[in-house]
Amino acid sequence: QVQLKESGGGLVQPGGSLRLSCVASGRIFSIYDMAWYRQATGNQREFLASITTVGSTNYADSVKGRFTISRDDAKNAVYLSVNSLKPEDTAVYYCKLVIRRIGIDESDYWGQGIQVTVSS
């Protein structure tokens, strides 16, 4: 079994910042690409950012320059620093990790989602 635990969300004022964390645990052999998505009420889930095993990053245009993805392989963790938050950033944020379990081929694993609300 693999579990993903997200943390760091909450209520923040416009212009504020947060740092989201996602930590994987369980019988993990290796973690490949890591990514963050979000889903606002009534909208489809959208891609935000990804990071490869060698640290190459990719961002959606809507968050480029405001959000930063990073990873710590020693902790099986991925982070998303979110700055200059706007009300339209309000959504449930999800991490997605491509994980190879011991003895099992790689698969996508999703976090449970964490709420970020931007409001004054």
Side-chain angles (χ1 to χ4, degrees), residues 44-57:
Q44 291 186 336
R45 191 170 297 187
E46 66 169 326
F47 167 81
L48 297 176
S50 64
I51 185 166
T52 68
T53 55
V54 295
S56 296
T57 57

Side-chain angles (χ1 to χ4, degrees), residues 28 32 57 68 78:
I28 296 169
Y32 301 105
T57 57
T68 302
V78 61

Side-chain angles (χ1 to χ4, degrees), residues 1-4 23-32 73 75-77 97-103 109:
Q1 289 282 10
V2 171
Q3 296 83 37
L4 271 58
V23 179
S25 61
R27 292 174 56 83
I28 296 169
F29 179 77
S30 186
I31 302 178
Y32 301 105
D73 291 328
K75 297 180 179 179
N76 289 340
L97 277 59
V98 180
I99 296 175
R100 182 177 177 187
R101 294 170 57 190
I102 296 172
Y109 290 84

Side-chain angles (χ1 to χ4, degrees), residues 60-72:
D61 288 342
S62 59
V63 304
K64 201 173 293 184
R66 298 191 299 124
F67 290 10
T68 302
I69 189 171
S70 59
R71 63 190 288 164
D72 185 337

Side-chain angles (χ1 to χ4, degrees), residues 36-40 43-49 58-68 80-91 93:
W36 286 93
Y37 290 72
R38 69 184 178 190
Q39 186 168 17
N43 290 355
Q44 291 186 336
R45 191 170 297 187
E46 66 169 326
F47 167 81
L48 297 176
N58 185 38
Y59 294 93
D61 288 342
S62 59
V63 304
K64 201 173 293 184
R66 298 191 299 124
F67 290 10
T68 302
L80 187 69
S81 296
V82 296
N83 302 305
S84 303
L85 283 164
K86 308 173 183 179
E88 51 264 42
D89 292 318
T90 296
Y93 284 67

